[in-house]
Amino acid sequence: MRTDYCGNINASFVGQEVTLTGWVNRRRDLGGVIFLDLRDRQGVVQVVYDPDLADVFEQANKVRNEFCVQITGLVRARPEGQVNKDMSTGEIEILGKALTVLNKAAPLPLDFNQENSEEQRLKYRYLDLRRPVMTERLMFRAKVTGAVRRYLEDEGFLDIETPILTKATPEGARDYLVPSRTHKGEFFALPQSPQLFKQLLMMSGMDRYYQIVKCFRDEDLRADRQPEFTQIDIETSFLDADGVMAITERMIRGLFNDLLNVELGEFPRMTYADAMQRYGSDKPDLRNPLELVDVADLVKDVEFKVFSGPANDPKGRVSVIRVPGGATLSRKQLDDYGNFVGIYGAKGLAWLKVNDKAAGLEGLQSPILKFLGEEVANALLARTGAETGDILLFGADSARVVTEALGALRLKLGEDLNLLQGEWRPLWVVDFPMFEEVDGNLYALHHPFTAPRDMTPAQLAADPQNAVSNAYDMVLNGVELGGGSVRIHDQAMQAEVFRILGISDEEAELKFGFLLEALRYGAPPHAGLAFGLDRMVMLMVGASSIRDVMAFPKTTTAACPLTDAPSPANPDALKELAIQTVKTSQ
């Protein structure tokens, strides 16, 4: 039905007759000459119809935006002065010789010339995807997955599928359950990740596995989360953490170089402890120059109990962010930032403006200055490197509250004050804690199959709170692109981790019996990493939400306006599954 794509027609086609198909992007009637901008996935080309061919001209006069048409015409150079350098087809136009309307379009429920609500865009997603920006994003996503497959296959990885109907795995979110008709009262779970199966593949001798795979998590949603999302899942045998990081770093550097013409360079490494101390986040955005500076030792003896209390508490923290040029912030702005940190549990935001550093104490301005004294104030200026025109913003509370509050404030200040420097800043974050303590109980920071770094089971048992996991996250511009770890391949170590987590032998056998059994038969050392494909593409194309790089995403309430899913099940189907629904109050 066509000889080429619209967007591919250029000056090399001049003098040739072409047949094209697509949608009418725009129709213009200029003094008896009709111009149709014809669009397909590759771009837009201008088609001209004049009255010399009366029947065809009449057809062109009847078409409207988004009609699906086929045209045949002669490619010619545009007249002098009418070249459009903003279009790949801007040097040529097509003199229309024939026009067939393949399908008319009813009045559109979306207006392509203005912003539409996300609800409308998702309800009529097939129309929304016709917009060039959305078409380009999906085409770019296809280029990413194609490049990933080629790279991994060249590195000796096998593309192996794992089950979608499986058993619940501990990934930190609620499972989506699928009832079994043949095993009434029992359920499959949709996989939150292929974690256990990819480990079993390593035990099967498939020493390099990858999969671009759907994962499912029933969790609260936001811009970079969806109930179903796609992972680039990678697992290897006989490679340590450095080996996995080297392979995957080369892959990401290659993607950015080949698809964006961006050289990311070598990725620096930063420990989890350093990231949390300096940036208040385990995925720091290094484009932001602001850092958290600990000052508890400087204020532990001041009269201001808001500072001295946490400074003398082993679980407390007092930190400060120096904002260059921040002395110009108004009182209202400071109050707004105080309300912002309150979201994270902070009771307020103390501040100190450096109006004139050379004037000593007289050149400083702060409601708390009288409690600090000149010696402490000077020590704070020296510790932070503050200069005239800067402001110091303080956090004093439990270590958790200060870290979360100032970490979030750092990001907000960076955006509000346009402080971000550079376009791309990748890094590896390593040496995560094995466990985190919540209400006196220990939980796996990643998952219970992550191996500790350089520890025996006995050493882990003796000091689990200070154990460091052999895990690693790749971070780019404050976004976690992917994370992974060296896995436990030793029965004794796996049993000890379960014991520390309070998982009994019976519970472990019930949940992971097949994996524990596999560990008995010569399981190799193995490690892996999983990338969030949607999140990666979102960053690469500059979108603000992963919904804008997925063909048919869900809303933030995990619903699909297009298909009206989820919806009530057929009563007969529920009866066959031996399921009865119960109405609950909202």
Side-chain angles (χ1 to χ4, degrees):
M1 294 186 72
R2 64 184 172 198
T3 58
D4 213 316
Y5 284 103
C6 298
N8 292 348
I9 309 301
N10 55 39
S12 69
F13 284 76
V14 170
Q16 297 182 31
E17 184 175 276
V18 295
T19 298
L20 306 175
T21 57
W23 289 265
V24 177
N25 193 61
R26 186 183 178 199
R27 174 190 173 279
R28 292 162 290 157
D29 188 342
L30 302 179
V33 178
I34 295 174
F35 292 86
L36 299 183
D37 289 344
L38 190 65
R39 184 194 72 243
D40 61 18
R41 76 177 204 189
Q42 295 297 123
V44 177
V45 69
Q46 179 173 282
V47 187
V48 183
Y49 289 93
D50 63 41
D52 292 346
L53 297 174
D55 291 345
V56 179
F57 184 83
E58 184 60 26
Q59 278 280 78
N61 193 41
K62 293 179 180 178
V63 302
R64 295 294 181 266
N65 287 1
E66 297 308 312
F67 274 32
C68 185
V69 301
Q70 178 192 54
I71 71 99
T72 297
L74 183 68
V75 180
R76 67 184 186 186
R78 289 200 189 191
E80 189 70 28
Q82 294 184 20
V83 171
N84 187 342
K85 295 182 179 179
D86 294 329
M87 295 175 62
S88 62
T89 61
E91 292 183 314
I92 56 91
E93 62 186 11
I94 298 173
L95 179 61
K97 300 294 186 181
L99 172 64
T100 302
V101 175
L102 301 174
N103 216 330
K104 296 180 179 180
L108 299 180
L110 299 180
D111 187 341
F112 290 165
N113 296 315
Q114 63 183 26
E115 290 293 321
N116 300 282
S117 71
E118 186 170 62
E119 184 79 12
Q120 285 292 100
R121 288 177 55 207
L122 295 184
K123 182 175 177 62
Y124 299 99
R125 189 62 161 182
Y126 46 88
L127 294 178
D128 186 52
L129 292 178
R130 291 185 190 176
R131 292 189 300 131
V133 65
M134 295 302 298
T135 302
E136 289 166 8
R137 286 171 178 172
L138 290 190
M139 291 175 66
F140 185 88
R141 180 183 175 122
K143 290 180 181 178
V144 171
T145 57
V148 166
R149 291 185 187 280
R150 288 190 294 273
Y151 173 83
L152 291 174
E153 287 166 7
D154 287 346
E155 290 284 337
F157 285 82
L158 303 176
D159 181 1
I160 305 176
E161 294 181 347
T162 53
I164 293 297
L165 295 177
T166 182
K167 192 175 182 122
T169 57
E171 301 287 341
R174 290 178 292 273
D175 291 299
Y176 279 101
L177 300 178
V178 179
S180 170
R181 179 184 59 80
T182 53
H183 302 276
K184 288 183 169 54
E186 298 183 353
F187 296 81
F188 295 103
L190 301 182
Q192 295 187 36
S193 85
Q195 180 61 50
L196 300 184
F197 286 105
K198 63 188 178 186
Q199 290 190 245
L200 291 173
L201 286 170
M202 296 303 101
M203 299 169 196
S204 305
M206 307 291 115
D207 65 306
R208 290 196 171 196
Y209 141 94
Y210 87 95
Q211 188 180 186
I212 298 178
V213 60
K214 282 285 189 183
C215 302
F216 306 86
R217 296 185 184 181
D218 186 5
E219 59 187 350
D220 295 333
L221 305 182
R222 57 190 185 207
D224 61 348
R225 284 184 178 174
Q226 280 278 290
E228 54 179 316
F229 57 96
T230 305
Q231 277 188 186
I232 303 169
D233 207 42
I234 298 169
E235 197 79 7
T236 66
S237 296
F238 310 113
L239 266 188
D240 58 13
D242 288 337
V244 173
M245 293 164 74
I247 285 177
T248 53
E249 180 178 322
R250 285 199 305 272
M251 183 180 80
I252 298 302
R253 289 174 61 188
L255 283 176
F256 273 76
N257 200 341
D258 295 344
L259 301 182
L260 296 179
N261 197 28
V262 169
E263 177 53 64
L264 293 176
E266 297 290 336
F267 291 17
R269 295 190 185 187
M270 180 182 298
T271 66
Y272 170 89
D274 198 21
M276 297 300 287
Q277 181 181 29
R278 295 172 58 190
Y279 303 107
S281 171
D282 61 358
K283 47 182 183 292
D285 187 347
L286 298 186
R287 296 173 302 164
N288 186 331
L290 302 181
E291 294 193 22
L292 281 61
V293 179
D294 287 334
V295 294
D297 59 312
L298 302 180
V299 298
K300 63 181 181 179
D301 296 323
V302 299
E303 297 179 17
F304 193 42
K305 297 299 183 184
V306 172
F307 282 5
S308 60
N312 287 284
D313 183 345
K315 294 185 178 182
R317 184 177 185 185
V318 184
S319 292
V320 59
I321 296 176
R322 176 180 73 89
V323 184
T328 57
L329 291 173
S330 68
R331 185 57 185 265
K332 181 183 184 306
Q333 287 175 300
L334 292 171
D335 288 343
D336 288 343
Y337 287 130
N339 293 332
F340 174 78
V341 296
I343 298 171
Y344 301 89
K347 301 178 182 66
L349 184 67
W351 52 270
L352 188 155
K353 290 185 176 183
V354 186
N355 296 323
D356 184 359
K357 185 177 179 181
L361 208 59
E362 297 298 319
L364 305 180
Q365 177 188 353
S366 172
I368 64 170
L369 190 59
K370 60 184 177 182
F371 300 112
L372 300 179
E374 186 170 6
E375 183 179 349
V376 171
N378 287 336
L380 289 170
L381 298 185
R383 175 74 58 86
T384 60
E387 299 292 344
T388 298
D390 296 349
I391 191 171
L392 303 183
L393 302 175
F394 295 85
D397 209 303
S398 69
R400 181 187 62 80
V401 168
V402 169
T403 301
E404 290 183 3
L406 290 191
L409 178 62
R410 171 183 173 269
L411 295 179
K412 184 168 178 58
L413 289 165
E415 293 288 345
D416 290 352
L417 305 180
N418 296 315
L419 300 176
L420 303 188
Q421 302 170 355
E423 189 173 3
W424 302 105
R425 293 293 303 276
L427 79 154
W428 287 104
V429 178
V430 298
D431 293 351
F432 289 83
M434 271 288 287
F435 308 105
E436 58 182 343
E437 184 177 341
V438 180
D439 298 328
N441 297 314
L442 292 180
Y443 296 88
L445 190 68
H446 283 91
H447 55 66
F449 314 109
T450 299
R453 180 187 290 279
D454 302 326
M455 296 185 82
T456 65
Q459 290 170 328
L460 181 64
D463 191 15
Q465 285 88 347
N466 293 313
V468 172
S469 68
N470 206 348
Y472 33 84
D473 281 359
M474 183 187 289
V475 177
L476 180 64
N477 292 2
V479 174
E480 180 192 329
L481 284 188
S485 67
V486 173
R487 322 302 188 186
I488 296 171
H489 71 283
D490 175 74
Q491 273 187 295
M493 181 64 77
Q494 189 65 76
E496 185 55 45
V497 169
F498 283 160
R499 187 195 67 76
I500 291 169
L501 295 174
I503 299 174
S504 67
D505 292 344
E506 294 77 11
E507 183 182 2
E509 183 63 31
L510 178 65
K511 291 183 176 180
F512 323 113
F514 58 94
L515 179 69
L516 300 178
E517 177 75 5
L519 288 174
R520 299 175 54 208
Y521 304 113
H526 56 286
L529 187 147
F531 289 102
L533 174 64
D534 315 291
R535 198 176 296 173
M536 182 190 303
V537 176
M538 177 188 74
L539 273 181
M540 295 180 79
V541 302
S544 58
S545 167
I546 63 171
R547 294 189 292 279
D548 285 334
V549 296
M550 303 171 77
F552 299 103
K554 305 294 189 292
T555 66
T556 53
T557 58
C560 176
L562 174 65
T563 61
D564 196 27
S567 56
N570 184 297
D572 292 337
L574 291 177
K575 184 176 181 180
E576 190 175 18
L577 292 166
I579 292 176
Q580 184 176 5
T581 59
V582 178
K583 289 186 177 181
T584 59
S585 58
Q586 297 297 319

